[in-house]
Amino acid sequence: FVNDVTKQAGAPLPKIDGDIPRAGDLADPDQKLKNWRVLGSDEKPQPGDIAAYKLDDGNGGGQYSGHSGIVIDDGNGGIESTSAHGDDVHPMDTNATNGQFINPPPGQSPTVYRRYTGN
C-alpha cells in the first residue's frame, strides 16, 4: 500500500536489493532511502509522511516485517494514518498517550516516521 501510494504521488520509494522496501525497512532508522529522511525526535509527523514499525519478535510469522501507513489529515485539525488491513484500507486509531499513529504492539520498536525530500 505505502509503495503504491508514494509512487502514485510522485515520491517513489527506492528499491532495496532489487525489491520494494518492506515495513521493517521503512521502520529501520538506519536504513537510508534516497529522497526520504527519518524525522527527528523533535519533529511532528505531517500529512504525506510515512509511519512504520518493525515486528522485532517475529509476530509476523516471517510473512510480515512490520506495519506501515501514510499520515493523513483527520479533517478535524489533527492527523492520523491510513494503511492496508486484511481486505481493506482504513485509518488507524490515534494513541494520544505517545503520539504515535501506527501503534506498535507492546514490546516492539517505536514508530519511525519518514518525510519525502525529493522534488
Side-chain angles (χ1 to χ4, degrees), residues 10-111:
L13 289 164
K15 292 187 176 186
I16 298 174
D17 297 327
D19 204 357
I20 60 173
R22 297 178 65 189
D25 298 320
L26 298 172
D28 180 352
D30 295 324
Q31 177 67 56
K32 304 295 184 212
L33 297 173
K34 183 179 179 182
N35 295 325
W36 289 90
R37 69 174 179 84
V38 173
L39 296 189
S41 59
D42 61 337
E43 295 181 279
K44 294 190 180 207
Q46 298 176 0
D49 290 344
I50 293 173
Y53 69 84
K54 187 174 184 174
L55 290 172
D56 294 328
D57 64 359
N59 280 338
Q63 185 176 7
Y64 306 105
S65 61
H67 191 64
S68 60
I70 303 289
V71 177
I72 60 171
D73 186 316
D74 71 0
N76 295 311
I79 58 175
E80 59 190 359
S81 70
T82 191
S83 54
H85 305 271
D87 62 354
D88 69 346
V89 173
H90 61 82
M92 297 286 290
D93 292 332
T94 299
N95 181 337
T97 307
N98 65 13
Q100 294 182 350
F101 305 102
I102 291 185
N103 303 302
Q108 300 300 319
S109 295
T111 299

